[in-house]
Amino acid sequence: MLWLLRWGFIGTVWGSLAAVILVLWFARDLPRPEDATDPARRPSLVLQDRNGRTIANYGDLVGEPLRLNELPPALPAAIVAVEDRRFWHHPGIDPIGLARAAWVNLTSGRVVQGGSTLTQQVAKTLFLSNARTVRRKVQELLLTLWLEEHFTKREILEIYLNRVYLGAGAWGVDAGARTYFGVSARKVTVAQAAVLAGLPRAPSRFNPRSNPAAAAARAREVLAAMVEAGAITAAQAQEAAAQIAFPPSPVAPGWFADWVAERSQALVEPGHDAVLRTTLDSRYQTVVEKRLSALLAGPAAAAGVTQGAAVILDAGTGAVRAMVGGRDYRDSPFNRAVLARRQPGSAFKPFVWLAALQKGLTPDDTVLDSPLRIGTWSPVNFERRYLGEITLEEALAQSINTAAVRLLIKAGGPKAVASVAARMGIADRLPNDASLALGTGEVGLLELTAAYAPFFNGGDRIVPHGLEQTPHGRVQVMTPEEAAMMQRMLTAVVTRGTGRSAFIAGRDIAGKTGTTQDSRDAWFIGHLAAKGAGSGNGLLIGVWLGNDDNAPTRNVQGGTLPARLFHDIALGLD
């Protein structure tokens, strides 16, 4: 007997020593638990439209830290009911809860409940990764015990509520309430509290923006759990279930937001949160998205067009009011309005005509439309007919190719025209041959649209920008008289030329069509004058249609679908 007691004592000592060594081994690289209330996070960038409405979030959004007594009782009650019903009674680890969760999951045939307590979730959220290892689980238990020893239950619940991830970049219930409902967590209803409490298990799956039906179903599960926990009555749960609703998802102009976010670094102090007001007009953005989507789904699809892009700019300041960089941002975030480079075709001709004006010609002067040969190259007109001597105005209105080449030569050649285009804002390298008159250089839609601004604002070059904080100085690149002549000729394009599909009765419309070889690209860059005298320089609307693989379309020309899209967008803006 004495022998048994002696070996039992020795075994206990060695077992205790082994346990201590094991705990020390697991604890050797534990994070500092003192940092519980100050976790690291990525700085957040919030972009607002011109009216102050949030349109995009980047980084981690953290709302206002709130105490329990600042929150509606239903919110913490909902969290406790669905995540850890015995939270107020267990010491951080809940064997009864683990057993209950295992039984429910077993009888349900799937994972319905989790076994981690709120304290364990706080330990994991603040200190550890999601790695499923024995080491990580033991460290979680050690940190759980430390939290229970150093914080009250109310403080642990407050940490959880202020740090839990709720999807869409929102950390904490206040950020979640503002993201999904546009209110502070102080003001959430029972229904909204149930939605928020249902998110931690699967923030993406139950996201109200992307899956409102799943979010509502999960909220009803939370309400049922609250009834079982005694937090609310069955009648209150039924009333709250009837009130589950989500505000319309805000305009999410992904291409515009990404473009602006890349250019915001100079305005944001590294490591700090920022809220920036952009130039976007959400109503204009919605109009452009809907009109382009409808066109691509209907007549454009029938004509072999699979992609498009459109922009709206303030002709006086360069402020970008709308930007759509493709068919569907979720399928392709590539920004065709900014990054794609395509031949503009005849949409480049206004720069040739301006170069001619700056050599002393006027819209009423004439240019010869007849067969022309330069070396081995012989430009031809689209309709394969020639009009003889015609005015510059008529030549631009009818987009005469031979006249464009002759005017390029009169203006001093391709280098002279390229120089004019560069002064207007075309930054891309252009070909040094006579084909430049027909738009064989590659440009971007935003770049080209902005370069039309001097024709309509009195002669000043503008810089397209998306942030209200960005300086937008104007540089004169032509005289007001030259601008007026160009505007007159571009108006003729719409009233009696190739751009007639863009015409709107009672509105001053001007612009230029563009079509490339085999109808691979089709453009319309147009101007919608402001209503009323002294009401601004109006809007520039640029449209491109084509295919990413540069495949030909079925005879789509700038004066057909692009001009029609301009027309539909312009009507929608009124």
Side-chain angles (χ1 to χ4, degrees):
M1 185 69 177
L2 184 62
W3 175 86
L4 184 61
L5 289 174
R6 182 173 59 188
W7 281 105
F9 174 75
I10 293 173
T12 300
V13 170
W14 280 105
S16 300
L17 181 61
V20 170
I21 293 174
L22 190 63
V23 169
L24 290 175
W25 184 80
F26 279 118
R28 74 184 192 278
D29 59 351
L30 277 175
R32 287 171 50 85
E34 293 82 358
D35 296 335
T37 56
D38 187 29
R41 64 179 180 85
R42 297 173 301 164
S44 67
L45 172 63
V46 178
L47 298 179
Q48 299 176 337
D49 69 8
R50 63 185 303 200
N51 295 316
R53 180 183 181 186
T54 297
I55 57 171
N57 300 310
Y58 295 87
D60 295 336
L61 301 176
V62 177
E64 184 181 352
L66 299 175
R67 308 300 295 267
L68 283 184
N69 58 13
E70 297 178 271
L71 295 170
L75 184 49
I79 290 288
V80 171
V82 75
E83 290 291 334
D84 186 4
R85 200 168 299 175
R86 285 174 35 81
F87 171 73
W88 298 106
H89 308 292
H90 62 64
I93 301 169
D94 184 15
I96 296 176
L98 284 170
R100 183 182 66 249
W103 173 253
V104 170
N105 294 337
L106 181 64
T107 56
S108 300
R110 60 190 178 93
V111 178
V112 176
Q113 292 185 6
S116 295
T117 66
L118 285 177
T119 312
Q120 287 176 276
Q121 292 183 50
V122 168
K124 180 174 65 176
T125 299
L126 297 187
F127 305 119
L128 303 171
S129 70
N130 289 321
R132 295 179 177 271
T133 64
V134 173
R135 180 183 187 80
R136 206 277 300 164
K137 195 64 179 177
V138 172
Q139 290 182 332
E140 176 188 304
L141 294 176
L142 294 175
L143 288 167
T144 296
L145 297 176
W146 185 92
L147 287 168
E148 288 280 345
E149 176 68 22
H150 290 81
F151 294 92
T152 67
K153 286 286 189 180
R154 290 179 63 86
E155 289 171 336
I156 291 172
L157 184 55
E158 287 172 353
I159 293 174
Y160 178 90
L161 291 170
N162 286 313
R163 300 298 184 218
V164 63
Y165 183 63
L166 299 177
W171 292 83
V173 292
D174 191 56
R178 295 178 188 277
T179 297
Y180 298 120
F181 302 110
V183 299
S184 165
R186 293 184 177 91
K187 299 180 179 180
V188 296
T189 64
V190 175
Q192 292 169 341
V195 171
L196 294 175
L199 289 170
R201 176 178 297 176
S204 297
R205 193 196 328 161
F206 299 129
N207 186 319
R209 288 182 176 175
S210 59
N211 198 344
R218 175 63 174 159
R220 288 190 287 272
E221 292 179 359
V222 174
L223 292 171
M226 294 175 71
V227 173
E228 292 179 8
I232 58 175
T233 65
Q236 289 173 321
Q238 186 175 3
E239 179 183 0
Q243 296 173 351
I244 296 174
F246 309 110
S249 296
V251 174
W255 294 286
F256 174 84
D258 290 348
W259 176 67
V260 169
E262 290 177 2
R263 285 154 180 77
S264 67
Q265 297 180 2
L267 300 174
V268 177
E269 187 175 351
H272 288 71
D273 297 337
V275 178
L276 298 179
R277 183 74 62 93
T278 74
T279 61
L280 187 89
D281 188 302
S282 291
R283 187 174 69 85
Y284 289 4
Q285 179 74 18
T286 300
V287 169
V288 176
E289 288 180 358
K290 288 183 176 180
R291 299 298 191 274
L292 178 58
S293 178
L295 186 80
L296 290 174
V305 175
T306 60
Q307 277 294 354
V311 294
I312 300 179
L313 282 74
D314 185 301
T317 66
V320 177
R321 300 303 184 198
M323 176 186 289
V324 178
R327 185 186 198 100
D328 190 323
Y329 178 81
R330 292 167 296 183
D331 292 339
S332 174
F334 178 73
N335 194 338
R336 294 159 188 82
V338 175
L339 301 176
R341 289 296 179 268
R342 310 294 287 250
Q343 291 184 356
S346 294
F348 185 83
K349 286 177 180 174
F351 306 116
V352 179
W353 263 248
L354 174 60
L357 296 186
Q358 293 182 337
K359 287 295 184 179
L361 298 179
T362 71
D364 296 319
D365 286 327
T366 61
V367 60
L368 180 62
D369 174 24
S370 65
L372 174 67
R373 178 172 292 278
I374 300 177
T376 60
W377 179 58
S378 182
V380 296
N381 293 330
F382 181 78
E383 296 183 353
R384 306 279 176 169
R385 63 187 178 89
Y386 302 95
L387 303 176
E389 290 285 344
I390 56 174
T391 65
L392 268 65
E393 179 175 313
E394 192 64 19
L396 186 59
Q398 303 305 328
S399 200
I400 304 299
N401 286 342
T402 61
V405 175
R406 284 189 167 93
L407 287 177
L408 176 139
I409 295 172
K410 286 185 178 182
K415 285 187 177 180
V417 170
S419 178
V420 169
R423 290 200 303 273
M424 299 283 284
I426 299 296
D428 285 299
R429 186 174 181 178
L430 300 173
N432 185 28
D433 58 57
S435 71
L436 176 63
L438 309 186
T440 56
E442 294 185 340
V443 298
L445 175 61
L446 180 64
E447 173 189 38
L448 182 61
T449 305
Y452 271 52
F455 300 143
F456 304 104
N457 66 19
D460 292 343
R461 183 183 70 218
I462 54 95
V463 177
H465 61 277
L467 289 168
E468 293 287 7
Q469 297 89 339
T470 303
H472 46 266
R474 290 166 48 158
V475 178
Q476 188 171 25
V477 292
M478 70 178 79
T479 67
E481 293 75 21
E482 291 167 344
M485 288 189 285
M486 286 302 305
Q487 185 169 349
R488 167 188 157 182
M489 291 188 288
L490 291 169
T491 299
V493 173
V494 174
T495 57
R496 65 176 189 274
T498 59
R500 291 188 298 274
S501 293
F503 177 78
I504 299 175
R507 297 301 303 271
D508 293 329
I509 306 291
K512 186 68 187 75
T513 57
T515 311
T516 60
Q517 189 172 13
D518 297 326
S519 298
R520 298 175 190 275
D521 302 280
W523 307 70
F524 188 84
I525 312 297
H527 177 256
L528 176 67
K531 288 184 176 180
S535 53
N537 296 117
L539 298 172
L540 290 163
I541 303 174
V543 171
W544 167 82
L545 297 176
N547 296 300
D548 284 342
D549 62 0
N550 205 33
T553 65
R554 299 188 186 99
N555 200 34
V556 175
Q557 302 164 34
T560 60
L561 295 183
R564 190 187 310 174
L565 179 57
F566 171 95
H567 172 276
D568 294 345
I569 290 173
L571 280 181
L573 301 182
D574 285 338

